[in-house]
Amino acid sequence: MADSLNGKAAITGIGETEYSRGADKSSIGLMLEASLKAILDAGLKPQDIDGVIPYSLGPVGEEIMTGLNLTDVRFSAQTPMGGASPVAALQCAAAVIAAGVCNHVLVVLGRRGSSDSRVANRIAAMPQFRQISEFENPIGAIAPAQLYAPMARRHMELYGTNEDQFAEIAVTMREHAMLNDNAIMKKPMTVEDHHASRMISDPFRLFDCCLESDGGTAVIVSAADRAKDSRAPVTILGVAEGHPDSPSTITQRPDLMTLGLAKAAPRAFEMAGVKHADIDVAQIYDCFTYMVICELEDLGFCKKGEGGAYVEGGRIRLGGELPTNTHGGLLSQAHIAGMNHVYELVRQLRGEGGAAQVAGAEIGLVTGYGDLGDGSVAIMQKAS
Amino acid sequence: MSDPYLKPLPEPSIDSLPYWEGLKDRRVMLQRCSDCRTVRHYPRPMCGECHSMEVDWIEASGKGRVYSWTVAHHPFHIGFKAETPYILATVDLEEGVRIQSQLLDVDPADMKIGLAVEVIFGQATDDLVLPYFRVAK
Ligand SMILES: [Zn+2]
């Protein structure tokens, strides 16, 4: 059980569109463009794809099958966990591959988060937010910034976590984005810029909040024995999802600061058979600066309450002990709901990270966080 | 003519209707398991402790303490534009469950974990009363 999915599957192809605030393509157009790039990158033809897992918000599997003319799909599903969906989809893909159902599963996400419906309207329509809609929207708790801010506030009150530590994350993401040709935010940011940005929902300022973006990203998860012929396969060593206590509402959760990732991470590390010190590069779901702190704690890189101090002193910058979000993250590259984090981890482990390449990166980790506390994590290694 | 009510309206379910009906009488009603007596919120059909589906409704004291909070500055919904900034408090009720609402008439600088608060009621529409908080007297 512990090593059930270790080595069973590898990511063989990755594809992304241009990330922007005004795409000239529909969401399905963005998904198909990214998908085709990923399929070709894997050295495959569209007809080789026999599994499809699209993001749970937006165009469905049937549209992808029609669009790419896939005629032999044997498995399709969604993993409706908001930003935890892409990494949870890797677990889903690896599981159906290990079961022998599929050889090549397409995991794809495309959205017009900037050009179409904005986040407060999007989540109101999601069944995962039903209790929020009934009990919290009427009194003015509407958007993720407002729903998540009390988690950050309590962390600050109990542990002394502060806005300089939030700024360190925001500035780091911006510096990394400036090294990325496919990043939206390219203007330099200082700690002072962060502190001067307008308050959205205390303690979150504008520069603590992720972008709203248009774009598509796709990866191909292949059976290990079918991955050998591809150009640069990256093996999934460990993958897991976890759900917090009271997953349908944050308000009723016994401990607001411990999320689903805290349950998933020990399973993923055990499955992978690696230690935290083995992780050369990390892509951490960064919808808000604080979430990076919380996830580093839930992952076990430091104890609960120590995440603020952990990110200080350049530890998560390129050249630091744990280079994090080398693409610029949701905060400064683009918000592709974390599928861009999966793409970036594969890029790094292939040694194709360009100006943001972590020297000698062999093993890396990617997380997802979504809805109201769901978490997912995958640990990968370049195939030998 | 009063201004149109622009805020989101709750859609009560068969499980939550007594909560919303109770608010109309200016009472905060909570579900209590008929079998193991565990109090739960938000309203739902089954007790998570003993899995009984039998339920009694009890009236909360309305007294509680701040667990955490945020100060909402950016209006994400047109209905709240006129009231920003407002404090959204997550409150531990005496009965052992939480309730979230706006905490009125308090300086954000005075906010702290453990602040004692009490429920007050606001008539939102003819058919809707919402719970709010103020600092306990
Ligand atoms: Zn019970």
Side-chain angles (χ1 to χ4, degrees):
Chain A
M1 183 78 183
D3 63 350
S4 58
L5 296 177
N6 184 326
K8 295 291 199 300
I11 296 185
T12 51
I14 55 175
E16 65 179 357
T17 68
E18 179 192 6
Y19 299 147
S20 73
R21 288 168 151 164
D24 59 3
K25 293 184 178 70
S26 61
S27 293
I28 184 67
L30 294 164
M31 292 167 86
L32 294 174
E33 179 185 335
S35 296
L36 186 61
K37 284 181 175 170
I39 291 166
L40 298 177
D41 183 57
L44 299 172
K45 304 181 296 298
Q47 282 295 317
D48 296 322
I49 299 299
D50 54 13
V52 175
I53 308 178
Y55 189 49
S56 57
L57 206 60
V60 297
E62 287 88 340
E63 272 204 74
I64 295 159
M65 296 175 215
T66 303
L68 288 167
N69 191 23
L70 308 180
T71 56
D72 195 20
V73 169
R74 293 144 190 235
F75 177 86
S76 72
Q78 294 180 336
T79 50
M81 297 162 59
S85 301
V87 177
L90 299 183
Q91 176 183 245
C92 185
V96 295
I97 285 167
V101 177
C102 293
N103 287 319
H104 300 289
V105 179
L106 166 65
V107 180
V108 58
L109 195 158
R111 61 188 345 204
R112 291 162 53 86
S114 179
S115 299
D116 290 348
S117 179
R118 290 299 186 106
V119 64
N121 290 324
R122 287 201 304 270
I123 66 171
M126 292 165 67
Q128 298 100 301
F129 284 73
R130 186 186 72 77
Q131 289 181 314
I132 307 302
S133 297
E134 181 173 353
F135 297 99
E136 300 181 8
N137 290 359
I139 51 90
I142 307 279
Q146 297 166 330
L147 300 172
Y148 301 167
M151 303 194 272
R153 170 51 62 189
R154 189 166 171 88
H155 203 278
M156 296 170 83
E157 297 294 311
L158 292 191
Y159 302 123
T161 310
N162 62 61
E163 63 175 10
D164 288 345
Q165 294 161 344
F166 294 169
E168 170 70 16
I169 294 164
V171 169
T172 298
M173 297 310 102
R174 183 60 56 88
E175 288 187 0
H176 294 173
M178 290 172 66
L179 301 172
N180 189 334
D181 292 337
N182 198 13
I184 291 173
M185 302 301 282
K186 306 289 277 189
K187 193 177 156 209
M189 183 199 293
T190 65
V191 171
E192 292 70 32
D193 293 334
H194 168 274
H195 291 354
S197 67
R198 71 189 166 92
M199 195 63 86
I200 300 297
S201 195
D202 179 271
F204 295 149
R205 296 177 177 279
L206 182 65
F207 288 170
D208 292 305
C209 303
C210 54
L211 308 171
E212 293 259 52
S213 318
D214 296 356
T217 316
V219 305
I220 309 300
V221 185
S222 299
D225 60 352
R226 299 295 186 110
K228 295 192 178 80
D229 299 334
S230 71
R231 183 171 65 81
V234 170
T235 304
I236 297 173
L237 300 179
V239 62
E241 74 177 54
H243 301 268
D245 295 341
S246 183
S248 63
T249 79
I250 292 170
T251 302
Q252 302 300 330
R253 187 164 301 150
D255 175 6
L256 249 59
M257 299 173 300
T258 299
L259 303 179
L261 187 59
K263 300 180 187 181
R267 285 189 264 120
F269 273 97
E270 187 188 2
M271 186 186 295
V274 305
K275 298 183 175 62
H276 291 75
D278 298 328
I279 302 296
D280 299 313
V281 57
Q283 316 299 343
I284 308 285
Y285 195 88
D286 56 329
C287 48
F288 298 93
T289 50
Y290 162 76
M291 291 314 307
V292 175
I293 290 172
C294 180
E295 288 175 70
L296 287 167
E297 295 167 347
D298 284 350
L299 283 165
F301 283 99
C302 57
K303 291 198 181 82
K304 186 55 66 182
E306 295 177 353
Y310 183 88
V311 303
E312 288 178 342
R315 185 180 262 133
I316 64 169
R317 294 185 186 215
L318 276 165
E321 182 183 324
L322 187 71
T324 297
N325 294 357
T326 41
H327 54 336
L330 306 178
L331 288 164
S332 278
Q333 187 205 22
H335 194 329
I336 313 298
M339 190 61 88
N340 49 325
H341 290 51
V342 178
Y343 181 104
E344 176 66 9
L345 181 60
V346 174
R347 195 174 78 118
Q348 286 284 339
L349 296 178
R350 286 174 167 185
E352 297 172 358
Q357 180 63 45
V358 174
E362 290 183 3
I363 297 176
L365 167 156
V366 57
T367 71
Y369 159 78
D371 281 355
L372 300 160
D374 296 333
S376 50
V377 54
I379 298 167
M380 303 188 206
Q381 181 176 31
K382 183 173 182 181
S384 50
Chain B
M1 278 278 288
S2 57
D3 293 336
Y5 189 76
L6 297 175
K7 296 176 181 176
L9 292 167
E11 289 181 34
S13 69
I14 194 169
D15 299 312
S16 64
L17 196 59
Y19 171 76
W20 294 109
E21 291 296 314
L23 288 174
K24 288 187 196 172
D25 296 332
R26 297 183 179 247
R27 306 193 306 166
V28 175
M29 302 301 292
L30 300 173
Q31 288 178 309
R32 187 180 65 192
C33 174
S34 305
D35 288 295
C36 78
R37 307 198 140 243
T38 301
V39 178
R40 65 183 187 261
H41 197 55
Y42 300 130
R44 52 189 183 269
M46 182 175 280
C47 173
E49 295 299 315
C50 76
H51 303 106
S52 167
M53 297 184 79
E54 299 299 318
V55 69
D56 302 313
W57 287 84
I58 61 166
E59 181 178 358
S61 71
K63 296 187 189 310
R65 292 186 180 274
V66 169
Y67 177 85
S68 194
W69 73 93
T70 182
V71 187
H73 289 260
H74 179 79
F76 285 95
H77 190 284
I78 190 170
F80 295 94
K81 197 164 183 169
E83 23 196 273
T84 55
Y86 55 91
I87 295 172
L88 284 168
T90 306
V91 172
D92 282 318
L93 292 181
E94 286 183 339
E95 289 76 14
V97 298
R98 297 218 188 93
I99 189 166
Q100 184 186 40
S101 195
Q102 292 189 32
L103 175 54
L104 306 176
D105 300 324
V106 58
D107 186 332
D110 294 333
M111 289 299 293
K112 60 180 182 189
I113 290 172
L115 182 68
V117 298
E118 61 190 13
V119 169
I120 53 175
F121 298 92
Q123 190 83 39
T125 71
D126 288 348
D127 296 323
L128 177 63
V129 173
L130 291 171
Y132 296 97
F133 291 103
R134 68 180 177 199
V135 175
K137 299 282 183 205

